[in-house]
Amino acid sequence: MPVAKVNGVDVEFEAGMTVLQVAERAGEEIPRFCYHERLSIAGNCRMCLVEVKPGPPKPQASCALPAADGQEIFTDTPMVKKAREGVMEFLLINHPLDCPICDQGGECDLQDQAMGYGRDGSRYAENKRAVEEKHMGPTIKTYMTRCIQCTRCVRFITEVAGVPDIGMISRGESAEITTYLESSVNSELSGNVNDLCPVGALTHRPWAFHYRPWELKKTETIDVMDALGSNIRADARGSEVMRVLPRVHEGINEEWLSDKSRYVVDGLTTRRLDRPFVRENGKLRAASWDEALGVVADKLKAAAADCIGVVAGDLQDAESMKAALDLFRALGSAHTDCRQDGSPLGGDTREGWLFNSGLAGIEAADAVLIVGADPRVEAPLLNTRLRKIWLSGQTEVALIGEQVDLSYDYNWLGAGSKTLSKLPKAATDMLSKAERPAIIVGAGALAGETGPAVLSALGALAKKHGVIADGWNGFNVLHTAASRVGGLDMGFVPGEGGLSATDMVKKGQLDVLFLLGADEIDASASGAFTVYLGSHGDRGAHGADVILPGAAYTEKSGLYVNTEGRVQMAERVVFPKGQAKEDWAILRALSERVGHTLPYDTLDQLRGKLMADHPTFGRIDYLAPAAAFDPSKLGVKGDLGDVAFASPIRDPYLSNPIARASATMAELSAQRIAPVAMAAE
């Protein structure tokens, strides 16, 4: 490996690294504003100046200078210090003294660097430049007079998000960052530009003037708005979650976060269920826990075992599903299901419902066939990885399903199952020529009566074209629900003779229907006595006969398994609202009332039982290596028919009860439906 000297210390580095990267490998901190590890190099701010020998006797921008064998790099000479102080003085010429009122205050790169390289006074006596504020949508608050034209926001939106809505216009002193035609940023990842902005020109509009960062208690946890399990940090003040920020996890979300995951937090405090309710004479009334549990227990004891069932929702933690499964199995019921959409996934082969290549591993694929999925809507951070490999020019992408804007080009093969029954030659050639082909199966392809046949056909296709080989498993199921893989792993599917979720809600099938946070299935026609356990007064609660208030995902500690099979632990950020309890504790109390007391009294005991019964839950943040299996045994062979594949998520901003309670999600949904510029505040 080549070797360079950094302040007299030898440092080995990989070919292609820049001087800045080599200096940081040596432990030297280099100030910067425009440089970012995941974006292209711009060389705009000149803050990262260093002295390099051999080379001209002047400071050079380390972010844009390739490192070379035998170089001598100096980061702390008088020349370097004077040059950085000069750059800082120029950057502050037009910057307003907004620190006391700026939302970036306390987390501002410019503040931090000014402490090290700023002067105690200004030599600039001219009028400061002023720039008109821009309207960039519901998530971005602009103060463009603060902007230093680092172009981080431009490069992120163009390169990572694939939506070139932000750019720089004019030249010299008139240069401005703006959206084209004064429109909103049409990206589901727009909030990341606020994180990237180093000076407070772009800040988070939904949280403007709500907090100071030093007031907040910070908790590292897991996001449940999609099935990726993005790593997040939830910051709370008192009993309210004020904001959510991304944590770095190279295997899942890198350091990005979708707008839905980030800004849904205002929905955690609205439309909340904070006390039990019992329906009496057609109307719900508040009740005590003792009364509500007694009513539910009486109904369960009076009903026959084959006339009661439970459906688990999309946001449930593994512990609550385990408690529900144990309780209803003890009651003798086989009617248990976690698949509100009627998916045929399940069985003994775990690889049959996982994203087997791994979220980061998909970047190794050289051919990707997407079937019945819209990854930009269902999993925006997976879509950024697909865009990344498409940009490399080494990967072909094809799609069967709706023609949607994925932010990259793809070969559209057809609309649905008819195309799958007779795959075009272009698709078969793409898969057969690839060394590491991948198939991404969306929930839209598996829904409905043809789902088992479609799954069987895709399994046969995967086997035929070598999608699963030594060291590579490219058969990937993209889930949309955070709870789905955990439910399938523990067998939260119908037992022998049991009804599926879609059958349970049909009229006359059950006497008692228990909805465990299940809001995406219509149970109004079932005629059953309905019990809803959940956190929000949403669809499931509207038709319930008894409502048991549960905890939202930020109000309990729980295990979640993401779409690639990685088990992660979410931590409690705040306590449940009002009289609400943790879901597993409610089920444990109910089990006593029905005479089948569950064999655990604490969360740790419940987890111990879960891990003993299903060892995969004990391997936290572990991603199993690619395992071979026979995909041709998946599903059931049958007539594929002529069904158009469509993503089950029609509006990503209103896809769960927390999102539907969020004012910010309502704004984003309205902008998505009618993408016109909204009036600036």
Side-chain angles (χ1 to χ4, degrees), residues 12-42:
E12 288 187 344
F13 63 92
E14 299 173 14
M17 295 181 75
T18 63
V19 168
L20 185 149
Q21 291 171 317
V22 173
E24 292 209 325
R25 176 167 283 198
E28 299 293 338
E29 184 178 353
I30 306 294
R32 85 290 297 272
F33 293 116
C34 68
Y35 175 78
H36 192 278
E37 293 83 355
R38 301 183 197 276
L39 304 177
S40 61
I41 294 171

Side-chain angles (χ1 to χ4, degrees), residues 245-281:
L245 298 175
R247 287 190 291 134
V248 176
H249 193 301
E250 297 295 345
I252 301 176
N253 57 305
E254 298 179 287
E255 64 182 80
W256 314 126
L257 195 60
S258 70
D259 289 348
K260 181 181 177 184
S261 300
R262 185 189 298 268
Y263 297 117
V264 79
V265 291
D266 60 330
L268 291 167
T269 56
T270 54
R271 300 186 190 174
R272 289 303 303 270
L273 299 173
D274 59 358
R275 68 192 67 181
F277 288 89
V278 173
R279 191 174 298 277
E280 194 173 82
N281 299 323

